[in-house]
Amino acid sequence: QPFTCNVDSPPCNKPPNDGYFIHGVYDLGINTTIRNSYFYASSSEGILLRGGGGAVVEHNVVDENGSGVIFGDLSPKNDTFAWNIVTNSRGVCGACLEYFGIWSYGEVGPGNVAKDNDVFGNVSGNFGPLPKVKVEDNIEVDPLYVNAAKHDYTLQPDSPVLGYGPE
C-alpha cells in the first residue's frame, strides 16, 4: 500500500514526503507584483503573503490549493489582493480546518486589503479569520470555468465574473 501523508506532523511535514508545505508563491518581499497568473494544485497555500509589504496581487486564478491566499504570520502590511478568482481550496489533512479561500494567521500588520475578488467553493469557507484585513466588495459565485479539471480557467461567455482573473 502506498504511503500517504494527510496530517501536519512528522513524517508528513518533513522532506521528502508529499509536500504539505508547498506554496504557489511565498512572498516576503517589498512591493512585489503578482499579476495575470494561475496557481493551482499546491498542497498548502496558493499565495502566502507572509511578511514584507506593499504587494499587489491582482487578476490571478488561485484554484484547488490547500488554501487560496493567506495574510500572515510575519506582519505583512499594505498588501492588496484584488480582482482574483479563488476557488476549490482543499487539502490532504482530513483533520485540518484551514482550507479557506482568503484568511489570515498570526501577526498581520496594518493596511492589508482583499477587495473585488470572486471566492467560491472553498472547503472550510470562502473567508476565514481576517481580523486585520479590510475585506470589501468580494463576491461568492461560481466563475464558470471552461474546464477546471484540465486547468482550463478560461471563463465561459456567460460567466458572472468576466473581468476578474487574468486579463
Side-chain angles (χ1 to χ4, degrees):
Q1 171 139 354
F3 174 73
T4 301
C5 279
N6 62 1
V7 294
D8 180 18
S9 61
C12 294
N13 62 356
K14 303 291 183 199
N17 292 314
D18 66 353
Y20 185 80
F21 291 105
I22 302 297
H23 311 294
V25 170
Y26 182 106
D27 180 46
L28 281 170
I30 303 295
N31 299 324
T32 302
T33 298
I34 303 166
R35 182 179 294 131
N36 295 326
S37 298
Y38 300 88
F39 302 95
Y40 58 87
S42 294
S43 60
S44 196
E45 286 74 35
I47 299 173
L48 173 57
L49 299 170
R50 189 157 189 212
V56 175
V57 182
E58 61 184 10
H59 291 284
N60 302 286
V61 168
V62 183
D63 182 60
E64 207 174 270
N65 297 283
S67 290
V69 64
I70 183 171
F71 292 85
D73 60 335
L74 297 177
S75 298
K77 60 185 178 291
N78 302 316
D79 291 339
T80 300
F81 187 78
W83 299 105
N84 301 286
I85 304 172
V86 182
T87 50
N88 305 311
S89 296
R90 65 194 78 246
V92 296
C93 175
C96 299
L97 300 173
E98 20 186 74
Y99 301 128
F100 298 106
I102 301 174
W103 66 298
S104 64
Y105 176 81
E107 292 297 318
V108 178
N112 297 296
V113 63
K115 65 179 184 175
D116 300 312
N117 299 289
D118 179 23
V119 189
F120 179 79
N122 300 284
V123 169
S124 298
N126 291 326
F127 298 92
L130 288 159
K132 293 185 179 178
V133 177
K134 184 176 182 180
V135 178
E136 59 185 35
D137 301 324
N138 296 287
I139 60 175
E140 301 177 58
V141 298
D142 185 342
L144 300 178
Y145 298 129
V146 167
N147 191 343
K150 292 189 177 182
H151 309 297
D152 181 352
Y153 298 109
T154 305
L155 298 175
Q156 295 178 27
D158 59 341
S159 170
V161 294
L162 294 175
Y164 291 66
E167 299 176 303

